[in-house]
Amino acid sequence: MENTMFIETNDGDFINVAHIVSFRHGSRPMGEHHNSKFTTVKTAPGDFHKVYGHLDADDFAPVIPSAPGFTILEFWADGMECGVHKSPVLAWRISQICLPMTCDDINENESAVLCPDGAVIEPGIARYESLDEWFNEKRETWFKRHKQQA
């Protein structure tokens, strides 16, 4: 069974993403400090459609369900307090890299993945044997940076 994904155009039509040949970004001024971003999509028959927002190739990347036990970790600090926000990984978007998907809004540059075996991975940066090791490293780095700024 093949998965089919559609996007909605500004006119309310739906386009099968498999029919998209190319797209181009644009914007239209809408006042002093705002603009309206859109993408012009060209489909296989040669038709052009406008879609609100900017689309890119990652928007069309396949998504697969996550195996249980993967969790996104985000270190947070406020004054002298710090902790970890945890959010279960529901799925993975497969593009040039695997991107975790959760119900929470995450900062991909500031997060790590807790694996079912207990290891923590910061993609492309480091691997830690445990959540405690990762947390202690983050806390130490944050306090050093905070102390230098004071």
Side-chain angles (χ1 to χ4, degrees), residues 2 7 10 61-62 100 118 121 126 129 138-139 146:
E2 181 181 328
I7 58 171
N10 294 3
I121 299 172
E129 293 303 314
K138 292 294 166 192
R139 182 177 55 197
H146 186 70

Side-chain angles (χ1 to χ4, degrees), residues 119-138:
V120 175
I121 299 172
E122 290 179 322
I125 299 172
R127 183 181 196 285
Y128 301 88
E129 293 303 314
S130 69
L131 175 57
D132 287 340
E133 181 185 355
W134 174 81
F135 179 75
N136 291 335
E137 171 71 24
K138 292 294 166 192

Side-chain angles (χ1 to χ4, degrees), residues 4-23:
T4 306
M5 184 175 16
F6 291 86
I7 58 171
E8 186 175 3
T9 68
N10 294 3
D11 298 330
D13 294 330
F14 289 88
I15 300 171
N16 183 333
V17 298
H19 298 163
I20 294 175
V21 176
S22 64
F23 50 88

